[in-house]
Amino acid sequence: MPKPRRGAALAPEGVVVVPHPLRVRPMGSLLFADDQRSLREEPGALGALALLPDEVLMQILSSGGARELACCACTSRAMRVLALSEDLWKACCLEEELAPGEWLRYDPGGWRCTYRRRRGLPAAPAASLGATHYYYSDVLYAPWHCGTAAIPPRWSRFENVPRVAASGLSVEEFAARFEAPGQPVILTGFASGWAPP
């Protein structure tokens, strides 16, 4: 398990919870906050867009490209949090056409860094907002947390999903043993004779 960074907390189950780099917290944290105010609610933070929920704002931002995201990130601190979402930059990277034989190499700095590296742009400065209010949003926090939480090794110590060789399993047998009862299974041997191009 990776060492927790400064400011990281250990959840009851042993999951390392690292603070979001743009000060995003889940909505439930707002109940225990001293200030009870989100960055989203600062005067002028989102303007008329503050009437829209984060889900809709993310859909609107996803309709643009990297240039539009970069421009939106410069408008306000609240919009910066939304426009620097990893999910949006991942979509920008995956939507770009790769040259024949080119592989998409993920940059450890995140999808925005991956996009910049592919375009030959200089490394992006660390995304930060400085000292300010937190941005409370489950829409932004949940995917980031799921992608960064360190899972304790003891959780994956036991393998309880059966592995079955695909060559020894007929379609009817698969349907009877696994599909009908909803039993998960890992089918092996599908790519044993396959060589990548």
Side-chain angles (χ1 to χ4, degrees), residues 117-169:
R117 186 179 39 75
R118 285 200 70 234
R119 290 296 187 112
L121 299 170
S128 70
L129 295 173
T132 184
H133 296 291
Y134 288 99
Y135 193 108
Y136 294 94
S137 170
D138 290 336
V139 171
L140 296 174
Y141 186 81
W144 174 84
H145 178 67
C146 290
T148 59
I151 298 172
R154 64 184 172 83
W155 287 9
S156 59
R157 222 177 282 157
F158 305 102
E159 190 169 321
N160 56 5
V161 177
R163 292 177 180 266
V164 176
S167 59
L169 190 64

Side-chain angles (χ1 to χ4, degrees), residues 169-183 185 187:
L169 190 64
S170 70
V171 174
E172 294 79 20
E173 186 181 2
F174 172 80
R177 283 179 58 191
F178 303 108
E179 186 178 24
Q183 173 71 37
V185 63
L187 298 175

Side-chain angles (χ1 to χ4, degrees), residues 1 4 9 16 29 32-33 53 58 73 75 83 101 107 120 123 142 145 148 150 188 190 194:
M1 178 161 61
V16 176
S29 297
F32 303 105
M58 293 299 283
T75 60
D107 188 290
H145 178 67
T148 59
T188 62
F190 274 116
W194 175 77

Side-chain angles (χ1 to χ4, degrees), residues 46-58:
L46 291 173
L49 296 175
L51 298 172
L52 301 173
D54 288 342
E55 294 88 346
V56 174
L57 291 172
M58 293 299 283

Side-chain angles (χ1 to χ4, degrees), residues 79 84 86 105 137 167 196:
M79 188 56 80
L84 294 184
E86 281 289 290
R105 291 182 306 145
S137 170
S167 59

